[in-house]
Structures are given as structure tokens and as C-alpha cells.
Amino acid sequence: MSTRNIEKILKPESFNWVGDAFYTTSFIGREITRRRMDPFFALGYNADIHFEAKKIPRGVGAHPHKGFETVTLAYKGNIEHEDSRGNHGVIKEGDVQWMTAGSGILHKEHHEKEWSQAGGMFQMVQMWVNLPAKDKETTPKYQELIYNEMTEYPLENNGGRVKIIAGEYKGLQGKGTTFSPIHLFNVELNKDGFADFTFPNDYNTAILIIEGSVLVNDSQEMNKDSFAMFENNVGDTFTLKATSEKTLVLVLSGEPLNEPIAHYGPFVMNTQDQLAQAFEDFQAGKFGVLN
Ligand code: MN
């Protein structure tokens, strides 16, 4: 095995409000292109922010999605979702909601009512995972991956554990199902906890430090809120060693789809014709109704 090195490290630059509930910075789609991190089309990171108590929850009103999946990871705070296919749910700290927009939905997302009324610290990630061309029209669905039910791999020497959201770690399979090969983990490390990761070296691969700090490959220090993308086609294994207590790292790796992308706002298709059709279908009310 040889070392897979970091190609680029990004720190949060500008944050933007999504509705009044999410204050996010983008790690994919700017300096690191969507193509370079394919099939991870977008990654919005809401770094720690404090919300004052509010009776009517902050949120984002009904909006469409088509042709991809939204994967929402709650780290602090509770998030409520509902869509025009009748799906509804709340995810809490450590939970993940994996929504397949597929053929098209309307979606609302907001702070959970009770959480909003208490207020508190909020931290989350939402990724957009592109769908293969053959699955763009798949029936929308919703997977709720609850923290306590996730497959986990205990690390040696009481180092912590790998929570497997989707894909596989050292022979253990996560419960999340995907349309293309993807590995997605939350890695919890105690101080000096150590974990190694081996993925096919053409899979686009990155980490985001959610809490604490780590030494990557025994050489590169990374701190909270920083994002690193690994180089491709050279080396196959990288390691993480926590340099602080209660370290938490999001690890993502996926086989590139390498298909044409036609994108406008919340629609991610393969051709301009499909994009125009998606917009027409949305305007015609074919994504359903969500009040
Ligand atoms: Mn949405």
C-alpha cells in the first residue's frame, strides 16, 4: 500500500444564507469543480452558528429538486423535512437523511419546531449526490439513517469508531443504499485515535473536519472546519490521527459518473433538452403539491 496524499485544502471563505435556517459555505463547485468531485455535485457546510429561540421555525419553503440526491447530515440541532411524495421526518444530532429526488419532488426543510423554540448551536452538512443517467427518473424516496442504528466499526486501542453511513469499511457495510459506488463515514476519534482508509484511487475522495483536529498521513495538520481533497491515481491509503479529544471527521469517496452534466439551480440532468423538460414539468405541477 502506498500513501494517498492531499491535493488541496480549503477553509470556509464566504457564507450564504439558505432561507433563514442554514448559513453555508460551499466546498464543491468553486475552486474544486463539480467535475473533479463527481459524483458529489455540491457540499454545503453550515459551520457552528447559534440560533436564538424562535417560535416559528426558520427554514426554506417549498422548492423543487430533480435528477440527484440530497444527503443531509445533522451534527448540532434538529432538522425537519417534508416533500410532495408524502415523506416527512426529523433528523437529530448524528443522524443522516438521504433523499432521492429522482424524477422530481417539491421539498421543504426547516429547524424542528421544539428545537427552534429552545434555540441552540447548529451545525450541518448537505451534499448533493448526482444520479447516474439511467437513474435520473427513479421514483423519489427517503432514507432515514439514525445514529444509534448505523453500522459502526470500533477502532483499535480505544481510538474511537467509524460510523458507516453508506458503503463499506473493513468488511462492514453501511445501511444507506446508493445508485453508484459511494463510501460515506462519520469518523469519531479520541485523542491519538487512528484510522486508515483505502479506496480505489480513481474515486474522488475528501474529508471535512467537523470537530477537533487531525494529522493526515502523519504529516499534515488539519483543524476544525477545513476540507481536504485527495489526489487521484497516485497512492491508495490515507490515515487520520486525532490530535484533540472528541474529533469528528466526515469522509467521502465515490466512483466518478463521468457523464455529461446539464445544471440549472435545483435541476441536475445530462442534456439541455432534459433540463428544459424538467423545468416545464415543474411549472406544470408534475412534481406534486406541497403547501
Ligand atoms: Mn431541498
Side-chain angles (χ1 to χ4, degrees), residues 18 22 60-65 68 70 72 81-82 97 99 105-109 126 128 266:
V18 182
F22 310 103
V60 188
H63 55 277
H65 292 294
F68 62 100
T70 66
T72 306
H81 291 250
E82 55 187 306
Q97 189 232 30
M99 185 191 73
I105 58 153
L106 301 180
H107 191 217
K108 280 203 286 197
E109 42 211 311
Q126 187 176 89
W128 289 12

Short mmCIF file of all heavy atoms in Angstrom, two decimals, residues 18 22 60-65 68 70 72 81-82 97 99 105-109 126 128 266, ligand 1:
data_model
loop_
_atom_site.label_atom_id
_atom_site.label_comp_id
_atom_site.label_asym_id
_atom_site.label_seq_id
_atom_site.Cartn_x
_atom_site.Cartn_y
_atom_site.Cartn_z
N VAL A 18 -29.25 30.20 3.31
CA VAL A 18 -30.21 29.42 2.54
C VAL A 18 -31.51 29.51 3.34
O VAL A 18 -31.59 28.97 4.44
CB VAL A 18 -29.77 27.96 2.37
CG1 VAL A 18 -30.77 27.19 1.52
CG2 VAL A 18 -28.37 27.88 1.76
N PHE A 22 -30.19 28.12 7.31
CA PHE A 22 -28.90 27.48 7.04
C PHE A 22 -27.93 28.54 6.53
O PHE A 22 -28.24 29.30 5.62
CB PHE A 22 -29.07 26.36 5.99
CG PHE A 22 -30.19 25.40 6.33
CD1 PHE A 22 -31.41 25.48 5.66
CD2 PHE A 22 -30.04 24.45 7.34
CE1 PHE A 22 -32.46 24.61 5.98
CE2 PHE A 22 -31.09 23.58 7.66
CZ PHE A 22 -32.30 23.67 6.99
N VAL A 60 -36.54 26.80 4.85
CA VAL A 60 -36.59 27.05 3.41
C VAL A 60 -37.91 26.51 2.92
O VAL A 60 -38.21 25.33 3.10
CB VAL A 60 -35.44 26.34 2.67
CG1 VAL A 60 -35.40 26.79 1.21
CG2 VAL A 60 -34.11 26.58 3.35
N GLY A 61 -38.72 27.37 2.29
CA GLY A 61 -40.03 26.96 1.81
C GLY A 61 -39.94 26.03 0.61
O GLY A 61 -38.84 25.66 0.16
N ALA A 62 -41.10 25.62 0.11
CA ALA A 62 -41.17 24.62 -0.96
C ALA A 62 -40.30 25.01 -2.16
O ALA A 62 -40.38 26.12 -2.68
CB ALA A 62 -42.61 24.44 -1.40
N HIS A 63 -39.46 24.06 -2.56
CA HIS A 63 -38.57 24.25 -3.72
C HIS A 63 -38.41 22.89 -4.42
O HIS A 63 -38.52 21.86 -3.78
CB HIS A 63 -37.21 24.80 -3.27
CG HIS A 63 -36.54 23.97 -2.22
ND1 HIS A 63 -36.83 24.09 -0.87
CD2 HIS A 63 -35.63 22.97 -2.30
CE1 HIS A 63 -36.11 23.22 -0.18
NE2 HIS A 63 -35.37 22.51 -1.01
N PRO A 64 -38.15 22.89 -5.73
CA PRO A 64 -38.02 21.62 -6.45
C PRO A 64 -36.61 21.04 -6.41
O PRO A 64 -35.65 21.77 -6.14
CB PRO A 64 -38.37 22.03 -7.89
CG PRO A 64 -37.92 23.45 -7.99
CD PRO A 64 -38.09 24.06 -6.61
N HIS A 65 -36.52 19.73 -6.64
CA HIS A 65 -35.25 19.05 -6.91
C HIS A 65 -35.53 17.98 -7.95
O HIS A 65 -36.57 17.33 -7.90
CB HIS A 65 -34.71 18.32 -5.66
CG HIS A 65 -34.26 19.20 -4.55
ND1 HIS A 65 -33.18 20.04 -4.64
CD2 HIS A 65 -34.71 19.32 -3.27
CE1 HIS A 65 -33.00 20.66 -3.48
NE2 HIS A 65 -33.92 20.26 -2.63
N PHE A 68 -31.02 14.15 -8.82
CA PHE A 68 -29.91 13.87 -7.90
C PHE A 68 -30.48 13.53 -6.52
O PHE A 68 -31.70 13.37 -6.35
CB PHE A 68 -28.95 15.06 -7.82
CG PHE A 68 -29.56 16.33 -7.30
CD1 PHE A 68 -29.37 16.72 -5.97
CD2 PHE A 68 -30.34 17.14 -8.12
CE1 PHE A 68 -29.93 17.89 -5.49
CE2 PHE A 68 -30.90 18.31 -7.64
CZ PHE A 68 -30.70 18.68 -6.32
N THR A 70 -30.22 14.54 -2.23
CA THR A 70 -29.68 15.41 -1.18
C THR A 70 -29.41 14.56 0.04
O THR A 70 -30.25 13.77 0.47
CB THR A 70 -30.63 16.56 -0.80
OG1 THR A 70 -31.80 16.02 -0.18
CG2 THR A 70 -31.04 17.40 -1.99
N THR A 72 -28.35 14.97 3.92
CA THR A 72 -28.25 15.96 4.98
C THR A 72 -27.73 15.28 6.25
O THR A 72 -28.29 14.28 6.69
CB THR A 72 -29.61 16.60 5.26
OG1 THR A 72 -30.13 17.12 4.03
CG2 THR A 72 -29.50 17.72 6.28
N HIS A 81 -37.88 17.75 7.62
CA HIS A 81 -38.06 17.77 6.17
C HIS A 81 -39.46 17.31 5.82
O HIS A 81 -40.02 16.48 6.52
CB HIS A 81 -37.13 16.76 5.48
CG HIS A 81 -35.69 17.09 5.53
ND1 HIS A 81 -34.99 17.48 4.43
CD2 HIS A 81 -34.81 17.07 6.55
CE1 HIS A 81 -33.74 17.69 4.75
NE2 HIS A 81 -33.59 17.45 6.04
N GLU A 82 -39.97 17.77 4.71
CA GLU A 82 -41.14 17.13 4.12
C GLU A 82 -41.12 17.36 2.62
O GLU A 82 -40.47 18.27 2.13
CB GLU A 82 -42.43 17.64 4.75
CG GLU A 82 -42.64 19.13 4.71
CD GLU A 82 -43.88 19.52 5.50
OE1 GLU A 82 -44.96 18.97 5.22
OE2 GLU A 82 -43.76 20.39 6.37
N GLN A 97 -30.18 12.14 6.71
CA GLN A 97 -31.33 11.96 5.86
C GLN A 97 -30.85 11.89 4.42
O GLN A 97 -30.16 12.80 3.95
CB GLN A 97 -32.31 13.12 6.03
CG GLN A 97 -33.63 12.86 5.34
CD GLN A 97 -34.06 13.96 4.42
OE1 GLN A 97 -33.25 14.67 3.84
NE2 GLN A 97 -35.36 14.11 4.28
N MET A 99 -32.16 11.72 0.77
CA MET A 99 -33.36 11.88 -0.04
C MET A 99 -33.02 11.77 -1.53
O MET A 99 -32.17 12.49 -2.03
CB MET A 99 -34.00 13.24 0.23
CG MET A 99 -35.32 13.39 -0.51
SD MET A 99 -35.92 15.06 -0.47
CE MET A 99 -34.78 15.84 -1.60
N ILE A 105 -39.37 16.24 -7.11
CA ILE A 105 -40.17 16.47 -5.91
C ILE A 105 -40.19 17.97 -5.60
O ILE A 105 -39.39 18.74 -6.11
CB ILE A 105 -39.59 15.76 -4.67
CG1 ILE A 105 -38.15 16.24 -4.41
CG2 ILE A 105 -39.64 14.26 -4.78
CD1 ILE A 105 -37.77 16.13 -2.97
N LEU A 106 -41.09 18.30 -4.72
CA LEU A 106 -41.02 19.59 -4.02
C LEU A 106 -40.59 19.28 -2.59
O LEU A 106 -40.98 18.26 -2.02
CB LEU A 106 -42.38 20.29 -4.02
CG LEU A 106 -42.98 20.59 -5.40
CD1 LEU A 106 -44.33 21.28 -5.23
CD2 LEU A 106 -42.03 21.44 -6.22
N HIS A 107 -39.83 20.16 -2.01
CA HIS A 107 -39.17 19.88 -0.74
C HIS A 107 -39.23 21.11 0.15
O HIS A 107 -39.15 22.23 -0.33
CB HIS A 107 -37.68 19.58 -1.08
CG HIS A 107 -36.87 19.02 0.03
ND1 HIS A 107 -35.55 19.37 0.20
CD2 HIS A 107 -37.15 18.13 1.00
CE1 HIS A 107 -35.06 18.69 1.22
NE2 HIS A 107 -36.00 17.94 1.73
N LYS A 108 -39.40 20.86 1.45
CA LYS A 108 -39.28 21.93 2.44
C LYS A 108 -38.34 21.43 3.53
O LYS A 108 -38.37 20.26 3.88
CB LYS A 108 -40.64 22.23 3.10
CG LYS A 108 -41.54 23.10 2.28
CD LYS A 108 -42.59 23.81 3.14
CE LYS A 108 -43.68 22.88 3.63
NZ LYS A 108 -44.87 23.63 4.10
N GLU A 109 -37.53 22.30 4.05
CA GLU A 109 -36.65 21.90 5.16
C GLU A 109 -36.55 23.06 6.13
O GLU A 109 -36.44 24.22 5.74
CB GLU A 109 -35.27 21.46 4.64
CG GLU A 109 -34.70 22.32 3.54
CD GLU A 109 -33.81 21.54 2.56
OE1 GLU A 109 -32.93 20.81 3.02
OE2 GLU A 109 -33.99 21.69 1.35
N GLN A 126 -24.99 19.56 3.97
CA GLN A 126 -25.87 18.97 2.95
C GLN A 126 -25.08 18.79 1.66
O GLN A 126 -24.52 19.74 1.12
CB GLN A 126 -27.12 19.80 2.68
CG GLN A 126 -28.06 19.03 1.74
CD GLN A 126 -29.38 19.74 1.48
OE1 GLN A 126 -29.48 20.53 0.56
NE2 GLN A 126 -30.38 19.45 2.29
N TRP A 128 -25.09 17.26 -2.34
CA TRP A 128 -25.89 16.83 -3.48
C TRP A 128 -25.09 15.75 -4.18
O TRP A 128 -23.96 16.00 -4.62
CB TRP A 128 -26.16 17.98 -4.46
CG TRP A 128 -27.12 19.02 -3.94
CD1 TRP A 128 -27.57 19.15 -2.66
CD2 TRP A 128 -27.72 20.07 -4.70
NE1 TRP A 128 -28.43 20.22 -2.57
CE2 TRP A 128 -28.55 20.78 -3.81
CE3 TRP A 128 -27.65 20.45 -6.02
CZ2 TRP A 128 -29.29 21.89 -4.22
CZ3 TRP A 128 -28.39 21.55 -6.44
CH2 TRP A 128 -29.21 22.26 -5.55
N PRO A 266 -31.90 23.90 -9.01
CA PRO A 266 -32.12 22.63 -8.32
C PRO A 266 -32.38 21.46 -9.27
O PRO A 266 -32.93 20.45 -8.84
CB PRO A 266 -33.36 22.92 -7.49
CG PRO A 266 -34.12 23.91 -8.31
CD PRO A 266 -33.10 24.73 -9.06
MN MN B 1 -34.12 20.82 -0.55
#
